Amino acid sequence: MPCRFNRELFRLVPGLLILSVSAHAEDVPEPREAPRYAGIRYLEDWADPLRRPGDDPFDRVKYVPLAEQVYLSFGGQHRLRYELTEGREGPLPESVLLSRNLLHVDAHAGPLRAFVQLGAHFALGAPSRDAPPGSDLFDVQQAFVEWRARAREVRFVARVGRQEMALGSTRWVSTRDGTNVRQAFDLARLSATGDGWNVEGFGGVVPQLERGVLDDAPSWRSRFWGVYATVDVLPRKQFSFDAFYLGRDRPSVTYGEVEGREVRHMVGVRAFGETGSGFEYIGHALIQAGTVGGDRVLAWGLAGGLWQRLPFAPLRVGVRGDALSGDRSAGDGRVSTFHAWFPNQTFFSALPLIYPSNLYEVHPLVQWERDAVSLEAGSVFFFRQSVHDAVYTPPGEVLVPPSASTARYTGAQLSLSLGYRVTRHVQFNAEYSHVFAGPALRAVTGGDVDFFGTWTTFTY
């Protein structure tokens, strides 16, 4: 099996080199003051003259004035992603080509705004991926109206409609960019921002994704709400503090032998900052409570990381870790499995094999970045927090049931990744991961897992 995987990998190398060289050949000199595009596109502000250098032909559609304080902005993104996975399911490797295509129009009229983004997502080569979030033929990715106001030194933004949302470090609520179809919410949202602080509240539902055309309707029984606050305690990002409450109501879930409607609440804090010497830190503490069917929920989580930027090289070395509770006893009337509702699924690597529930993990890593090139190498060591609970895989499904193994050690995942910003518009990425299966994981995979992925993104 490893030989077959290596042959498939080597067949890709010439094509990847041609892709990188051809994209570089089409590079044009970057315009002066050329801005970078935001990960969430509605966060871009093209009304600012400094964001309109004028030398790039794509900037001609970023600011189209119609009248005083009235303008349109157009943009899009196209991503082609190839994934090859061997060892996870079945004797044959899974080979899939994913295409994501997004187009948006952003209309501004004074304090009012309307933003619409349409998406077409395709998965070729793997029937298991031919459904959301792998495939969604054509649908509304985002569509909202917005109102902005200012009172003294406080800025207010109200937004209603379908929108992407990333909170804090995106550890628990993210855009799910690694998957083909990104995560969006149907929300009413209000934020207030002052000098060194921000507070926002939201409430709404989670869309039910379908594979067809214009069929992603709001799921009124799947509700999501919360309040998130950030305060800069010390200047120059030395110490900041988040406090948040998130709530989720889902019509039907299953944890082992427990099944039914889930109403779960999460309260958390996050402390983070960076010193002048290049030392960075982050820490989370979380508690979850609620009900599943007739059982009580009581779960907890701790997460954090430490990094140091080296003064003699463009290197950043660090370690991350999680401790997230699992269920210790079936049938005791209590569910202790921590559940992260909308996490960044590529937090560990581009291969989202392990979901952040019922685990201990430690993740040493090193990052190198210089000009347009970035490299990262790391290894994650996974353990079950409770051997009486499952090992989970995205989006929270059981990967290793408790009955399959009583081992605590799940496995180790080694990852090597490359990022290359070819031009302002073109980004190339590649990653290789190898999962050394521990006793718990070997019970379902039978051995190690290999993953190779490469994706090229064109943004304008």
Side-chain angles (χ1 to χ4, degrees):
M1 297 299 293
C3 293
R4 185 188 301 127
F5 181 87
N6 291 335
R7 287 196 299 268
E8 293 283 348
L9 179 58
F10 289 141
R11 290 192 189 106
L12 289 171
V13 172
L16 297 178
L17 292 176
I18 293 172
L19 174 63
S20 177
V21 171
S22 62
H24 186 74
E26 295 175 1
D27 190 5
V28 296
E30 289 191 354
R32 183 177 61 86
E33 306 257 1
R36 292 194 183 184
Y37 299 102
I40 299 179
R41 300 303 302 274
Y42 65 75
L43 296 178
E44 298 170 2
D45 179 13
W46 293 94
D48 183 353
L50 294 179
R51 296 190 64 88
R52 307 195 305 272
D55 296 333
D56 191 318
F58 286 99
D59 288 340
R60 298 172 187 171
V61 299
K62 305 311 293 184
Y63 181 79
V64 182
L66 302 179
E68 185 177 357
Q69 294 188 331
V70 178
Y71 70 93
L72 298 176
S73 181
F74 300 89
Q77 186 181 84
H78 307 278
R79 189 183 74 172
L80 193 63
R81 180 183 177 109
Y82 176 79
E83 295 181 4
L84 178 66
T85 308
E86 183 180 69
R88 182 173 177 180
E89 295 178 357
L92 297 177
E94 180 184 76
S95 176
V96 59
L97 182 65
L98 301 166
S99 172
R100 181 168 74 196
N101 306 276
L102 300 170
L103 295 173
H104 72 257
V105 57
D106 190 5
H108 291 253
L112 299 177
R113 176 192 199 187
F115 184 94
V116 176
Q117 184 181 55
L118 303 176
H121 311 79
F122 307 98
L124 305 175
S128 63
R129 308 292 286 275
D130 197 21
S135 177
D136 191 347
L137 298 184
F138 182 76
D139 228 300
V140 178
Q141 177 66 22
Q142 299 186 82
F144 62 80
V145 293
E146 179 184 286
W147 172 78
R148 292 175 177 261
R150 189 181 187 97
R152 295 185 180 180
E153 299 301 319
V154 181
R155 302 182 301 278
F156 296 93
V157 178
R159 190 178 298 127
V160 178
R162 181 164 297 178
Q163 56 198 275
E164 296 177 347
M165 180 173 64
L167 298 179
S169 64
T170 74
R171 188 70 177 96
W172 318 115
V173 178
S174 74
T175 60
R176 197 178 57 190
D177 185 65
T179 59
N180 207 28
V181 183
R182 289 163 61 107
Q183 180 69 60
F185 306 91
D186 295 322
L187 300 174
R189 187 176 173 194
L190 175 65
S191 65
T193 305
D195 185 15
W197 62 269
N198 174 264
V199 179
E200 63 178 299
F202 62 90
V205 300
V206 182
Q208 177 63 47
L209 300 184
E210 302 290 348
R211 182 183 179 276
V213 176
L214 298 177
D215 54 359
D216 293 351
S219 180
W220 302 109
R221 298 181 63 198
S222 181
R223 294 183 280 271
F224 184 46
W225 64 91
V227 178
Y228 203 102
T230 301
V231 178
D232 296 330
V233 180
L234 296 178
R236 297 185 297 277
K237 300 182 180 180
Q238 296 180 78
F239 176 66
S240 297
F241 184 81
D242 290 354
F244 56 92
Y245 158 74
L246 303 175
R248 181 85 195 272
D249 184 350
R250 296 192 290 171
S252 179
V253 299
T254 301
Y255 297 101
E257 300 177 356
V258 180
E259 183 176 356
R261 176 190 176 194
E262 179 186 57
V263 179
R264 186 179 291 236
H265 311 274
M266 179 163 69
V267 176
V269 294
R270 177 174 75 116
F272 60 101
E274 179 179 357
T275 68
S277 61
F279 177 72
E280 304 170 49
Y281 63 91
I282 184 172
H284 300 252
L286 311 108
I287 190 79
Q288 293 183 337
T291 58
V292 176
D295 290 8
R296 294 185 305 114
V297 172
L298 185 60
W300 54 268
L302 298 171
L306 301 172
W307 295 268
Q308 177 64 55
R309 296 185 181 276
L310 303 183
F312 53 84
L315 288 176
R316 183 173 178 255
V317 297
V319 60
R320 297 191 297 221
D322 285 278
L324 306 174
S325 66
D327 200 48
R328 292 191 172 277
S329 179
D332 62 354
R334 188 174 74 179
V335 176
S336 300
T337 304
F338 182 92
H339 183 72
W341 295 312
F342 308 103
N344 180 351
Q345 294 185 2
T346 59
F347 185 78
F348 301 126
S349 83
L351 170 63
L353 183 63
I354 304 297
Y355 192 77
S357 289
N358 183 37
L359 65 78
Y360 294 123
E361 65 88 7
V362 61
H363 184 182
L365 68 162
V366 58
Q367 299 170 333
W368 181 90
E369 185 171 354
R370 192 178 185 90
D371 299 327
V373 180
S374 61
L375 300 168
E376 179 176 307
S379 185
V380 195
F381 300 90
F382 296 104
F383 304 83
R384 280 195 285 184
Q385 197 277 325
S386 170
V387 297
H388 303 291
D389 200 352
V391 177
Y392 294 90
T393 191
E397 299 175 348
V398 171
L399 176 63
V400 182
S403 59
S405 173
T406 59
R408 187 175 299 275
Y409 178 53
T410 303
Q413 182 169 330
L414 173 67
S415 298
L416 304 171
S417 63
L418 162 69
Y420 176 36
R421 189 166 62 91
V422 184
T423 74
R424 177 188 171 204
H425 301 285
V426 179
Q427 174 77 30
F428 172 78
N429 294 84
E431 181 167 315
Y432 170 75
S433 290
H434 181 86
V435 178
F436 299 91
L441 190 58
R442 197 175 297 119
V444 295
T445 64
D448 295 354
V449 178
D450 282 292
F451 169 85
F452 175 76
T454 176
W455 55 102
T456 301
T457 308
F458 179 71
T459 306
Y460 52 94

